[in-house]
Amino acid sequence: MKKRMFLLFGTLVLLSVTLVACSEKKNNSNSEEMQLGPEIKGATADPNETKELKKLYQDAIKEFVDNDEKLVVWAGGDAPDQQKELENAFKTRFPEVPIEIKVDLSKFHDIKINEQLKNNNLQPDVAMLQTTHDFDLWKKQDQLYAYKPVGFEKQRKNYADKDGYYITGMINSFLPEVSKEVGEVESYEDFLKPDFKDKLILTYPHDDDAVLYVYDKIIEKYGDEYLEKLKEQNPTFLRGTAAPAAIVAKGSYEGRKYTGNLTGYAQSPKSDALSFVPKTDPFITWTQRAAMFDKTRHKAAAKLFLSFISSKEYQSSGQIWPTRTDLKSMSPYKELEKYPNTDFNDFAKWMSDREHIENLKQKMITYFGEVEGESPLTDKGLLETVK
């Protein structure tokens, strides 16, 4: 009997030691998991912000214990990999918080979000869209969750909602673009010269509000006559903004040479295309707003994401025009306020006048016909051009 009791006691002691060891191992494992991944290469991080990000990271991890869920971000864009760099940076910095950034045209994302909000089955935790008017509407409808993320006080004037219902994740711009063999041009009028006949590859203006804004400004300066002359240039129109920009850089598409595009994303110095800021003609810049919803499921992870994109670390990692007052624009570009021919506030106001926008779309159909082709996110031919 004593021998049996001794064996039982020994077994309990061994089990106790094993459980303690397992617990310590688990705690050590959790401690290791809570460590941040490496900083973005070449970025400048603020130590105090990094401390805050680490705290947010610890809270976010808890939302994904014992489940296969992810932080879901819906981002506006017209090429599937446009936010891949951001997604990879987040995964590297916060490896224990799974994330999926789904890119689609903002005008499609917002329709789905409004329907999901109505039916109480919201999928995205965070929306980061071009459609600035949506955020103003969602705020009025009490659909957004007020949160002032890391770096909020450094957001430039009018970039963030004063109550914290949204911030600016990034500043975007469309610039005229030509192949390097053409050399820099000065205005939109230059694209009407004979050298560009049959060599313009353009985005349908009535398929993208930001592109349409540029055409509206062109009409204000040059009149409808510009549209007629542009039509005579026999341009090729595609859906999306990524493909035309890539085609000008590559030089050809479907056996035809192209040398100009009115609305492309700024090209890197290594590109075979040249982006330029018009000397006097207006060009567009806009705030890509980002927010979490009151119905967001993963609020801790959403806070982490918003804080990451507004942090000094992320904003110093390659943004042409950072959203923060303590960072300068990327060379050779000047600070936005030094360009008298652009105003991101104007685009936000313009976007709210939906009747004017619909009338403009009808005008573009009159000159250039209906929008044709698959979505740029599914068209295999267009996807091949942006690789």
Side-chain angles (χ1 to χ4, degrees):
M1 185 70 174
K2 289 182 178 181
K3 183 177 180 180
R4 188 174 297 174
M5 289 293 291
F6 176 78
L7 290 173
L8 179 60
F9 176 76
T11 300
L12 290 173
V13 169
L14 180 61
L15 179 61
S16 177
V17 171
T18 302
L19 289 173
V20 170
C22 290
S23 177
E24 289 179 351
K25 183 177 180 181
K26 184 176 181 181
N27 288 336
N28 289 337
S29 175
N30 285 340
S31 178
E32 291 175 2
E33 290 174 355
M34 290 182 185
Q35 297 302 311
L36 295 174
E39 292 180 4
I40 301 174
K41 187 176 180 180
T44 303
D46 181 304
N48 291 325
E49 290 185 354
T50 300
K51 289 180 182 179
E52 290 300 314
L53 288 173
K54 186 174 182 179
K55 292 177 183 177
L56 292 167
Y57 181 40
Q58 293 170 348
D59 291 336
I61 290 173
K62 298 173 185 177
E63 292 184 322
F64 303 99
V65 174
D66 298 328
N67 64 57
D68 296 323
E69 297 175 1
K70 294 180 180 180
L71 168 66
V72 178
V73 178
W74 281 13
D78 52 22
D81 293 336
Q82 278 180 339
Q83 296 300 333
K84 187 57 65 177
E85 188 174 339
L86 169 57
E87 184 176 288
N88 289 338
F90 186 91
K91 287 179 178 179
T92 299
R93 200 70 166 111
F94 313 106
E96 296 303 318
V97 177
I99 182 173
E100 177 187 24
I101 301 183
K102 180 180 178 181
V103 175
D104 201 348
L105 300 175
S106 294
K107 65 179 182 179
F108 294 154
H109 271 327
D110 66 354
I111 291 174
K112 293 176 183 176
I113 289 172
N114 286 328
E115 188 67 24
Q116 291 173 8
L117 288 171
K118 180 181 177 181
N119 296 326
N120 200 31
N121 62 343
L122 183 67
Q123 293 179 22
D125 296 299
V126 174
M128 186 165 63
L129 307 176
Q130 176 196 87
T131 47
T132 53
H133 63 287
D134 283 319
F135 295 85
D136 296 320
L137 179 60
W138 289 331
K139 179 184 176 181
K140 289 180 181 178
Q141 295 175 340
D142 294 325
Q143 297 287 8
L144 299 180
Y145 185 90
Y147 171 64
K148 297 180 179 181
V150 165
F152 180 83
E153 72 284 355
K154 297 291 185 180
Q155 289 255 308
R156 293 177 184 270
K157 184 179 179 181
N158 295 333
Y159 277 33
D161 175 71
K162 62 182 179 64
D163 299 314
Y165 285 100
Y166 59 78
I167 62 167
T168 290
M170 59 192 68
I171 285 286
N172 284 331
S173 175
F174 286 148
L175 299 175
E177 175 192 22
V178 294
S179 61
K180 285 188 175 178
E181 66 183 66
V182 171
E184 187 171 328
V185 297
E186 295 185 355
S187 71
Y188 297 116
E189 270 194 314
D190 288 332
F191 290 97
L192 303 180
K193 293 179 178 179
D195 289 348
F196 286 104
K197 177 77 171 181
D198 300 321
K199 295 180 181 179
L200 294 177
I201 184 83
L202 309 176
T203 301
Y204 282 107
H206 36 315
D207 196 36
D208 186 302
D209 284 352
V211 175
L212 187 63
Y213 173 90
V214 176
Y215 279 70
D216 194 20
K217 294 302 175 182
I218 290 174
I219 293 170
E220 286 181 8
K221 183 169 184 178
Y222 297 109
D224 288 354
E225 183 182 356
Y226 185 94
L227 300 180
E228 189 62 46
K229 290 180 178 179
L230 183 63
K231 181 181 179 181
E232 292 173 1
Q233 290 290 72
N234 191 32
T236 296
F237 284 94
L238 297 177
R239 296 194 65 188
T241 57
I247 289 167
V248 171
K250 292 179 179 179
S252 64
Y253 176 65
E254 295 186 341
R256 183 171 167 181
K257 186 175 182 179
Y258 293 101
T259 59
N261 170 32
L262 271 66
T263 52
Y265 288 108
Q267 296 291 310
S268 71
K270 296 180 180 180
S271 172
D272 289 325
L274 177 67
S275 299
F276 67 95
V277 175
K279 290 188 176 181
T280 59
D281 285 351
F283 70 100
I284 183 174
T285 51
W286 74 90
T287 54
Q288 195 89 344
R289 291 179 177 176
M292 58 191 292
F293 296 91
D294 189 58
K295 294 179 180 179
T296 288
R297 292 183 59 193
H298 307 109
K299 284 189 169 62
K303 290 177 181 179
L304 176 63
F305 179 82
L306 293 173
S307 289
F308 179 60
I309 62 174
S310 64
S311 69
K312 188 173 185 179
E313 177 182 347
Y314 178 72
Q315 288 297 321
S316 65
S317 67
Q319 304 297 315
I320 292 177
W321 286 294
T323 64
R324 296 170 59 106
T325 56
D326 56 350
L327 293 172
K328 300 292 185 181
S329 61
M330 184 186 297
S331 179
Y333 299 98
K334 297 184 293 186
E335 301 301 313
L336 281 181
E337 57 267 22
K338 293 183 179 180
Y339 291 107
N341 48 339
T342 191
D343 181 3
F344 69 87
N345 289 303
D346 187 55
F347 178 68
K349 295 174 184 176
W350 184 87
M351 284 289 285
S352 65
D353 189 349
R354 304 313 295 176
E355 182 178 355
H356 175 63
I357 289 172
E358 291 305 317
N359 289 336
L360 272 174
K361 288 180 179 180
Q362 291 303 313
K363 176 178 286 190
M364 296 303 152
I365 291 173
T366 301
Y367 280 97
F368 307 121
E370 297 280 358
V371 174
E372 296 180 357
E374 282 187 59
S375 164
L377 289 113
T378 58
D379 188 308
K380 293 182 180 179
L382 297 183
L383 291 174
E384 189 66 27
T385 67
V386 299
K387 284 186 177 179

